[in-house]
C-alpha cells in the first residue's frame, strides 16, 4: 500500500482485513495482567480490539485509542455487541500530535510500529507519566519479522527492551523496570499461517 498519509495507510490496513467477531488478546498482555486488580486501562494502538475486549471482560474500564477510524468504529460496534459498551471507550488519536487524557492503572502498547515518523520515546514517556502510583506500562515490540508483516525490510533493527527503557529515561526513584526480556512464541497470521517470532517485552511500574 503506497500512501504518505498515515491515517489513510492504517485505515487501508484495517479495511483490507475481514472484521473479527471476537478478536483474541495478545499473549504478553494476558500473562502480565492476569491476577492484577482491575482499574482503568489505556490501550494505545488498539487495532482489532482483542486486548481491549479481554481487559473489559476482566473488569477493567478501557480507553482504546487508534489512529484509524476504521479500527475505532469496528471496536465500538464489537464492544456493544459483546455487552461491553459500558467498559470500553474508543477514541481516535494520532499519537504524533495528541495523547489520551486521564490517569491509568495500566497502559499497554503492543507493536506500536509504523512506517511513518513517530517519536515513540515521547509517546512512551507520556504514557509513563499518565500512570497512577502502582500502575504499569506494558510495551511489547517486535523482536523479529513475521512472514506476513507489512514491514519486510531485511535491514530493520529492533531495539532491545533495555534500550527502549533507556530511551524513555525515567527517574528510577519514581519508575521501576519490572521486566525486560525477549521471549519467543508461535504466532498465527492471516489464513492460519504460523511462525516462531520474538517479542521484546518491557514492563515498567510507577512506584510513586
Amino acid at each position: 500500500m503506497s500512501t504518505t498519509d498515515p491515517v489513510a495507510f492504517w485505515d487501508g490496513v484495517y479495511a483490507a482485513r475481514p472484521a473479527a467477531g471476537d478478536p483474541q488478546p495478545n499473549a504478553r498482555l494476558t500473562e502480565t495482567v492476569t491476577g492484577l486488580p482491575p482499574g482503568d486501562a489505556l490501550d494505545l494502538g488498539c487495532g482489532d480490539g482483542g486486548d481491549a475486549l479481554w481487559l473489559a471482560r476482566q473488569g477493567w474500564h478501557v480507553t482504546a485509542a487508534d489512529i484509524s477510524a476504521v479500527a475505532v468504529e469496528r471496536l465500538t460496534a464489537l464492544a456493544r455487541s459483546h455487552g461491553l459498551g459500558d467498559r470500553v471507550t474508543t477514541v481516535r488519536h494520532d499519537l504524533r500530535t495528541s495523547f489520551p487524557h486521564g490517569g491509568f492503572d495500566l497502559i499497554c502498547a503492543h507493536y506500536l510500529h509504523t512506517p511513518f515518523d513517530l517519536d515513540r520515546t515521547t509517546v512512551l514517556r507520556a504514557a509513563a507519566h499518565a500512570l497512577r502510583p502502582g500502575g504499569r506500562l506494558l510495551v511489547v515490540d517486535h523482536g523479529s519479522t513475521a512472514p506476513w508483516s507489512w514491514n519486510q525490510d531485511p535491514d530493520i533493527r529492533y531495539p532491545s527492551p533495555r534500550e527502549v527503557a533507556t530511551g524513555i529515561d525515567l527517574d528510577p526513584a519514581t519508575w521501576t523496570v519490572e521486566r525486560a526480556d525477549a521471549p519467543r512464541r508461535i504466532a498465527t497470521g492471516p489464513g492460519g499461517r504460523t511462525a516462531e517470532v520474538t517479542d521484546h517485552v518491557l514492563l515498567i511500574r510507577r512506584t510513586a
Side-chain angles (χ1 to χ4, degrees):
M1 187 182 306
S2 178
T3 176
T4 57
D5 179 4
V7 175
F9 175 87
W10 288 109
D11 277 345
V13 167
Y14 290 109
R17 299 179 185 174
D22 192 11
Q24 296 304 299
N26 283 294
R28 305 305 172 202
L29 176 74
T30 60
E31 71 184 22
T32 301
V33 175
T34 296
L36 293 180
D40 294 315
L42 171 62
D43 184 6
L44 293 174
C46 62
D48 292 321
D51 290 345
L53 294 175
W54 183 85
L55 285 167
R57 290 185 178 113
Q58 311 311 307
W60 293 79
H61 289 274
V62 186
T63 298
D66 203 282
I67 191 174
S68 167
V70 173
V72 166
E73 289 166 6
R74 281 183 177 178
L75 178 52
T76 300
L78 267 179
R80 289 173 180 164
S81 70
H82 287 283
L84 299 168
D86 61 334
R87 289 192 173 272
V88 177
T89 300
T90 58
V91 291
R92 199 186 75 77
H93 272 275
D94 183 342
L95 294 174
R96 297 175 306 166
T97 58
S98 62
F99 192 89
H101 296 291
F104 302 94
D105 305 293
L106 172 71
I107 299 177
C108 51
H110 280 79
Y111 314 113
L112 197 63
H113 304 289
T114 176
F116 303 94
D117 288 337
L118 174 66
D119 187 347
R120 275 189 13 126
T121 297
T122 296
V123 172
L124 295 178
R125 188 177 296 120
H129 281 273
L131 292 172
R132 295 172 180 146
R136 289 173 172 86
L137 169 62
L138 175 63
V139 182
V140 182
D141 291 333
H142 293 302
S144 64
T145 302
W148 52 81
S149 173
W150 52 265
N151 188 350
Q152 293 295 325
D153 180 356
D155 297 321
I156 191 170
R157 180 183 177 278
Y158 297 109
S160 72
R162 286 289 177 184
E163 287 177 286
V164 174
T166 298
I168 302 174
D169 191 26
L170 298 171
D171 184 348
T174 304
W175 292 271
T176 299
V177 174
E178 291 192 326
R179 179 179 179 183
D181 59 4
R184 291 180 169 271
R185 63 183 171 86
I186 300 298
T188 302
R193 187 178 182 184
T194 61
E196 185 179 63
V197 299
T198 300
D199 290 324
H200 283 174
V201 183
L202 175 63
L203 182 64
I204 295 172
R205 182 172 182 265
R206 183 166 191 166
T207 56

